[in-house]
């Protein structure tokens, strides 16, 4: 008989957007068996009973833009200096850290080396290491002089990118990444404000290069995700079926209209976290607020905020996930992006939580079974001490997560005062 867990005396925040309600939730195996209001008694029948004491039960968080193999470095090239053997060990530790913080699923936005995401995903799925369920991505496929090209004429350096030039090189590399087992092909069609030779407003991949990667993805049933800050890069990506648009901070009227037209199949994750911390909290690493402003970070953040508000009003799916994995924006602080959605974008706490749960299930390609507390859904659940709708910041405090369940099994079991094994109702 499958293991059973009964959560009682809880407030159910189900991730659908409906108001929380007092109730019980029964988990059987790795699925939610029943969700019932408090007025309806549920027999324990030998289940492990968790007495919530009024705590909130909600879906596990989903990181829409994860970089589990990024190592909180202060520059890009430092990632290239880490040997693959040490790199996978540190990636495994990052995965556990994310699960400890209540993230039960991660949609990768790029691996730092070709097979890191794939090996991690497979090991987690096999139960060899604790970590979130993961959609594995390739490294960022970039152009010479694009974001991720840290090479020098006189010295070999590398980082999180595989540099390609021309449609044929992009096509060949995309095929190699498919062969290695990725779920998502990541491309860098635009630049970034900290890259002098490829700024955020510049589109640095040709349409033929973008089309080549998308052609491979479509042939093999894979997805394409794009680092697309510039309006032109967003429009080219949508034209060729890129399903995950990261950033989209500098979209224009035409790009907004294209995103609205694609809202049934496309996702946007603006990654506000990295812009915010670069502007305000990177001084220890030599990036003062004045230096960040001189690079255009404040301008892009303010423009991106205005554009995300506009896209939300158009019904575009906007998800949290803020490029965590850099020294001043470290992995494990990812839930801060939910608060950014409230404080910067004007999302209601409910809308921000739905973006991190129900919409997270959709970006994980598990929209009918992940991201909600609903019968038949996967039992990825958090028991939270308090009401996240009153203060979403409590989701950043791991000590407020009384229990973390992934796939019907406790990663963090509730304390003895809350759980007891009972053999009968």
């Amino acid at each position: 008989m499958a293991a059973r867990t009964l959560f009682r005396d809880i407030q159910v925040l189900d991730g659908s957007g409906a108001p929380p309600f007092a109730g019980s939730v029964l988990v059987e195996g790795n699925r939610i068996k029943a969700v019932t209001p408090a007025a309806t008694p549920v027999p324990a029948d030998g289940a492990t009973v968790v007495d919530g004491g009024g705590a909130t039960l909600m879906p596990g968080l989903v990181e829409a833009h994860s970089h589990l193999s990024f190592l909180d470095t202060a520059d890009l090239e430092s990632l290239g200096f880490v040997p693959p053997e040490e790199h996978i060990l540190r990636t495994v530790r990052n995965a556990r850290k994310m699960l400890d913080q209540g993230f039960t699923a991660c949609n990768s936005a790029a691996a730092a080396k070709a097979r890191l995401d794939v090996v991690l995903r497979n090991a987690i799925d096999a139960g060899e290491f604790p970590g979130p369920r993961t959609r594995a991505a390739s490294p960022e496929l970039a152009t010479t002089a694009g974001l991720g090209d840290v090479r020098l004429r006189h010295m070999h350096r590398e980082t999180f990118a595989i540099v390609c030039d021309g449609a044929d090189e992009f096509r060949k590399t995309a095929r190699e990444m498919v062969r290695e087992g990725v779920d998502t092909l990541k491309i860098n069609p635009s630049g970034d404000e900290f890259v002098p030779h490829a700024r955020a407003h510049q589109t640095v991949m040709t349409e033929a290069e973008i089309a080549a990667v998308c052609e491979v993805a479509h042939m093999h049933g894979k997805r394409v995700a794009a680092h697309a800050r510039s309006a032109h890069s967003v429009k080219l990506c949508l034209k060729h079926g890129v399903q995950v648009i990261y950033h989209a901070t500098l979209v224009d009227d035409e790009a907004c209209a294209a995103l609205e037209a694609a809202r049934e199949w496309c996702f946007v994750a603006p990654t506000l976290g990295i812009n915010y911390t670069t502007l305000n909290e990177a001084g220890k690493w030599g990036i003062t607020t004045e230096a960040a402003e001189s690079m255009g970070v404040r301008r892009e953040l303010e423009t991106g905020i205005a554009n995300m508000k506009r896209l939300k009003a158009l019904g575009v799916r906007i998800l949290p996930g803020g490029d965590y994995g850099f020294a001043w924006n470290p992995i494990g602080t990812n839930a801060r992006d939910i608060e950014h959605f409230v404080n910067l974008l004007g999302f209601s706490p409910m809308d921000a939580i739905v973006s991190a749960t129900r919409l997270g299930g959709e970006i994980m390609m598990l929209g009918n079974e992940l991201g909600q507390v609903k019968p038949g859904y996967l039992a990825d659940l958090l028991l939270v001490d308090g009401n996240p709708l009153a203060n979403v910041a409590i989701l950043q405090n791991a000590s407020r997560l009384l229990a973390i369940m992934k796939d019907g099994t406790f990663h963090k079991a509730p304390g003895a005062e809350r759980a007891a094994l009972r053999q009968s109702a």
Side-chain angles (χ1 to χ4, degrees):
M1 180 178 177
R4 291 156 56 88
T5 302
L6 176 63
F7 294 89
R8 280 180 174 166
D9 190 15
I10 53 174
Q11 291 292 315
V12 181
L13 177 58
D14 66 10
S16 71
F21 59 93
S24 298
V25 172
L26 177 64
V27 173
E28 186 171 284
N30 71 336
R31 301 272 173 175
I32 296 168
K33 178 72 172 177
V35 180
T36 57
T40 304
V42 179
D45 291 338
T48 297
V49 177
V50 177
D51 292 312
T56 300
L57 189 76
M58 62 177 285
L61 300 175
V62 181
E63 168 62 65
H65 184 111
S66 75
H67 288 304
L68 293 175
S69 58
F70 285 21
L71 304 177
D72 298 344
T73 59
D75 54 54
L76 302 187
E77 52 269 22
S78 293
L79 280 175
F81 296 145
V82 182
E85 298 85 356
E86 286 85 349
H87 210 143
I88 188 61
L89 292 177
R90 294 176 69 179
T91 300
V92 166
R93 288 200 293 270
N94 279 344
R96 175 159 196 156
K97 184 183 294 185
M98 288 291 287
L99 189 54
D100 289 342
Q101 294 296 134
F103 285 88
T104 56
C106 285
N107 184 65
S108 180
K113 290 182 174 66
R115 297 187 66 249
L116 290 177
D117 270 4
V118 172
V119 171
L120 179 73
R121 177 201 64 200
N122 293 348
I124 290 172
D125 287 351
E128 296 169 5
F129 302 104
R133 45 180 97 242
T134 298
R135 292 294 183 188
S138 69
E140 305 189 22
L141 308 188
T143 63
T144 295
L147 170 63
D149 181 13
V150 298
R151 300 171 303 171
L152 300 172
R153 289 287 294 177
H154 64 287
M155 183 187 304
H156 177 78
R157 297 194 309 184
E158 59 185 47
T159 182
F160 51 64
I162 300 174
V163 178
C164 310
D165 289 299
D168 287 343
E169 283 191 19
F170 273 97
R171 184 178 293 108
K172 182 175 187 295
T173 303
R175 285 171 171 164
E176 290 173 347
M177 294 301 101
V178 169
R179 180 192 66 200
E180 296 303 321
V182 302
D183 301 304
T184 304
L185 295 166
K186 174 69 179 293
I187 58 175
N188 286 358
S190 79
D192 218 316
E193 292 294 25
F194 66 88
V195 183
H197 46 268
R199 300 294 295 275
H201 66 277
Q202 294 174 319
T203 301
V204 295
M205 281 180 71
T206 67
E207 181 172 357
E209 290 169 334
I210 294 170
V213 176
C214 291
E215 179 185 25
V216 173
H218 297 157
M219 291 171 67
H220 292 274
K222 304 296 182 180
R223 289 192 305 181
V224 180
H227 173 102
R229 293 188 181 274
S230 70
H232 186 54
S233 66
V234 170
K235 287 179 275 191
L236 288 178
C237 287
L238 293 175
K239 179 180 177 180
H240 293 282
V242 174
Q243 293 169 284
V244 181
I245 304 290
Y246 289 127
H247 314 300
T249 41
L250 303 180
V251 289
D252 57 16
D253 291 348
E254 189 178 357
C256 284
L259 284 164
E260 181 184 14
R263 64 188 181 184
E264 297 299 324
W265 55 266
C266 183
F267 302 88
V268 171
T271 69
L272 300 176
I274 188 65
N275 295 87
Y276 184 89
T277 54
T278 300
L279 186 63
N280 297 297
E281 300 172 9
K284 179 180 176 181
W285 294 273
I287 305 176
T288 64
T289 296
E290 293 73 23
E293 288 175 336
S294 72
M295 291 189 290
V297 175
R298 185 181 298 279
R299 180 180 62 249
E300 189 190 357
L301 178 59
E302 291 175 351
T303 302
I305 287 170
N307 280 326
M308 291 310 116
K309 291 179 178 178
R310 182 180 179 186
L311 291 174
K312 183 177 186 293
L314 293 173
V316 176
R317 290 176 290 182
I318 302 172
L319 288 77
D323 246 336
Y324 294 87
F326 294 93
W328 52 90
N329 203 50
I331 285 177
T333 62
N334 303 59
R336 192 177 184 188
D337 237 48
I338 301 171
E339 187 180 17
H340 287 325
F341 269 41
V342 174
N343 293 343
L344 300 180
L345 297 185
F347 276 50
S348 69
M350 178 67 84
D351 283 350
I353 289 171
V354 168
S355 291
T357 56
R358 179 170 65 80
L359 297 189
E362 293 174 11
I363 203 171
M364 289 292 293
M365 300 185 284
L366 294 168
N368 294 322
E369 54 181 339
L370 183 69
Q372 295 186 64
V373 183
K374 187 174 179 180
Y377 274 54
L378 291 163
D380 286 13
L381 301 167
L382 305 180
L383 186 65
V384 182
D385 178 20
N387 178 9
L389 295 177
N391 179 14
V392 295
I394 67 174
L395 295 174
Q396 299 169 43
N397 185 349
S399 69
R400 301 292 291 270
L401 304 180
L402 303 173
I404 301 169
M405 174 177 277
K406 179 199 161 195
D407 216 31
T409 299
F410 283 114
H411 170 68
K412 179 181 182 179
E417 73 280 5
R418 293 184 180 272
L421 182 63
R422 300 178 182 176
Q423 298 303 319
S424 61

